[in-house]
Amino acid sequence: MMQVTLYSNDEIKGLRAPIIFIGLPDVGLVGSIAVSYIIDKLNMREIGYMDSDLLPPVVLVKDNIVKNPIRLYASNNNNDIIAIISDVPLPSSLAIQFAKNITLWLKGIGARLVVNITGIPVQNRLQIDKPQVLYVLTDTDGSLLNMGSTKAVGLGDGIIVGVYAAIIRSCIVSKIPTLTLLAQSHLNFPDPFASIEALEVVNKALTLDVDLSELKQEAELIRIRTRELMKQTSSMLTEAKATPTFYG
Amino acid sequence: MSSDIFDMIDEMDRRIRRLMDRVFSDVSLDLYDMERRELKPLTQIYETDEEVIVTLDLPCASKDGIELKATEDTLYIKAKMDRCVRISNIDFENYSKSIRLPTRVDARNAKASFKDGILQVRLPKKFEGNDIRIE
């Protein structure tokens, strides 16, 4: 078996030049929380999954249905959108192969833009009421997006490590434009408020209309329900020494 | 020969344990006390030259519902949640944790703050010892 294999159903054929949201467990679970919320609010359908021998032997059961931990969802209500989430932190040994396979697949379906959502840890996060969102663009002059209407600022100088870095590099090779959003966040605590800020940017930059009120109301419960994933992710980041440098 | 077999079994046992540890770590043990129906908060411990800083994630808790105690080497926290949260068919209403500190502290001069469901406790390190005169 290849290190990572992707399986999808025929619904994928109906999508035209989709935008891809990727939310994987890392700093503050910012991407996981944000992309899971998009899936829920846009009523996206599950269209496939990714598997690998390198993933821990875990399956999830939701409403009596067994689910793979890395899943793909799609929506073609307004915009053609695909979302990729994982319920387990990805081992660093899987990052490059994961990125290469997903990019190959995205190229094949004519992906228009990949939106990576993640966190950037800040030491004084407790003192910050509204986390700042930073962004990085590749292979696009921004004409696909309306970044000017958002409060996000360019990363300037910095370093991105881990699976998102692998995805960005792989997309550059495949000439797929990427937007990476990095919201200031807690390092080891789930940070739905950072996810909210990242989604505010998504809404404006891509003229989506994801209603964020439920995420704001449920933030405390989300923090409790994502504790296990946060703990596993923190352990994985420490083990892989892939914790991004503190920003600010 | 028989000792070889036992060695092999031991090695296999160690490998299985390592695998199980890697897969499940001790996440559940670290986060729940199922018997007492209490959540153990996510915790981050950070040290400066002068202080030990313990930060605890306490969503759904309020400042008035938190009890904090410290000795020179342990911090105890108990907090009541403002609602009952059901996880794996068990209702949780409280947080509780006893945290072994990485060094001895002056508990009397500890300070704590609580914001957005996050508790931060700063405990000054206890400096003990004798001055050494440089000759």
Side-chain angles (χ1 to χ4, degrees):
Chain A
M1 175 178 179
M2 282 172 72
Q3 272 198 318
V4 184
T5 313
L6 194 148
Y7 304 89
S8 64
N9 66 22
D10 283 344
E11 282 193 57
I12 198 73
K13 291 175 188 163
L15 298 174
R16 280 186 303 275
I19 294 172
I20 320 297
F21 288 96
I22 302 183
L24 303 170
D26 73 350
V27 178
L29 300 182
V30 177
S32 297
I33 295 170
V35 177
S36 298
Y37 189 74
I38 290 175
I39 290 168
D40 185 52
K41 293 316 277 183
L42 298 183
N43 290 317
M44 297 177 80
R45 300 172 313 280
E46 193 178 332
I47 56 151
Y49 60 92
M50 293 183 82
D51 204 359
S52 168
D53 287 348
L54 296 175
L55 282 174
V58 172
V59 289
L60 281 91
V61 183
K62 283 185 181 167
D63 297 326
N64 292 318
I65 297 168
V66 172
K67 290 182 180 290
N68 272 272
I70 305 177
R71 297 184 303 282
L72 284 71
Y73 291 82
S75 159
N76 52 3
N77 292 340
N78 301 311
N79 292 288
D80 284 359
I81 290 173
I82 289 175
I84 301 169
I85 53 163
S86 172
D87 290 326
V88 292
L90 298 191
S92 56
S93 53
L94 201 62
I96 291 173
Q97 202 56 48
F98 174 88
K100 280 185 176 170
N101 284 29
I102 202 105
T103 310
L104 193 68
W105 181 74
L106 293 177
K107 190 79 186 164
I109 61 166
R112 179 165 31 134
L113 173 73
V114 169
V115 182
N116 298 308
I117 304 179
T118 182
I120 187 160
V122 281
Q123 260 174 335
N124 63 338
R125 173 67 185 88
L126 263 178
Q127 279 76 53
I128 296 171
D129 290 327
K130 272 185 98 61
Q132 174 78 63
V133 180
L134 308 166
Y135 72 88
V136 180
L137 293 169
T138 62
D139 265 289
T140 170
D141 54 4
S143 55
L144 287 169
L145 302 150
N146 193 4
M147 293 310 292
S149 65
T150 74
K151 288 180 183 162
V153 294
L155 176 63
D157 299 329
I159 184 165
I160 299 169
V161 294
V163 67
Y164 284 109
I167 292 168
I168 293 169
R169 276 170 48 185
S170 210
C171 283
I172 290 171
V173 172
S174 297
K175 299 201 179 337
I176 302 172
T178 67
L179 163 66
T180 302
L181 298 174
L182 306 108
Q184 291 180 322
S185 74
H186 292 292
L187 172 61
N188 292 316
F189 299 157
D191 199 339
F193 299 106
S195 308
I196 289 168
E197 295 305 319
L199 287 175
E200 299 266 15
V201 173
V202 165
N203 266 346
K204 286 185 176 156
L206 295 163
T207 20
L208 285 180
D209 192 20
V210 180
D211 177 8
L212 301 178
S213 53
E214 203 178 323
L215 184 52
K216 290 172 187 169
Q217 282 163 16
E218 298 291 313
E220 299 263 302
L221 277 180
I222 290 168
R223 281 166 62 188
I224 292 179
R225 298 202 181 281
T226 51
R227 286 164 9 112
E228 279 196 40
L229 181 58
M230 186 74 258
K231 181 92 184 169
Q232 289 165 355
T233 304
S234 301
S235 306
M236 187 76 86
L237 289 172
T238 309
E239 204 174 289
K241 295 185 171 55
T243 307
T245 319
F246 275 102
Y247 170 85
Chain B
M1 178 75 180
S2 63
S3 88
D4 284 354
I5 288 173
F6 286 123
D7 286 349
M8 251 171 60
I9 291 170
D10 277 352
E11 178 54 29
M12 223 157 71
D13 183 54
R14 272 197 296 276
R15 281 186 188 181
I16 290 168
R17 277 171 199 277
R18 272 206 300 271
L19 179 67
M20 297 302 276
D21 281 352
R22 251 187 21 226
V23 173
F24 300 106
S25 50
D26 49 0
V27 166
S28 297
L29 292 174
D30 254 12
L31 294 176
Y32 306 98
D33 184 332
M34 296 292 189
E35 259 179 42
R36 296 164 71 175
R37 300 186 172 218
E38 289 174 338
L39 296 178
K40 296 184 184 180
L42 287 171
T43 306
Q44 195 170 296
I45 302 174
Y46 177 72
E47 269 186 85
T48 66
D49 286 345
E50 293 86 24
E51 292 179 313
V52 175
I53 303 163
V54 182
T55 313
L56 300 113
D57 194 28
L58 300 169
C60 298
S62 63
K63 185 182 158 189
D64 296 337
I66 300 173
E67 285 174 42
L68 255 184
K69 278 181 190 162
T71 65
E72 62 177 16
D73 62 3
T74 309
L75 179 69
Y76 303 92
I77 159 93
K78 204 167 170 60
K80 187 150 184 56
M81 291 155 71
D82 60 14
R83 69 194 90 171
C84 181
V85 178
R86 175 161 280 222
I87 301 167
S88 303
N89 290 322
I90 298 175
D91 292 331
F92 293 93
E93 282 180 277
N94 293 296
Y95 290 102
S96 173
K97 194 167 186 177
S98 159
I99 300 151
R100 190 88 174 162
L101 301 171
T103 184
R104 302 217 296 171
V105 297
D106 173 8
R108 282 166 193 251
N109 287 309
K111 286 180 184 160
S113 60
F114 185 73
K115 191 187 172 203
D116 298 332
I118 293 180
L119 177 71
Q120 191 163 74
V121 189
R122 306 178 83 99
L123 305 117
K125 286 183 177 174
K126 201 173 223 178
F127 288 102
E128 287 166 324
N130 301 312
D131 291 337
I132 302 170
R133 198 162 60 92
I134 303 168
E135 290 173 1

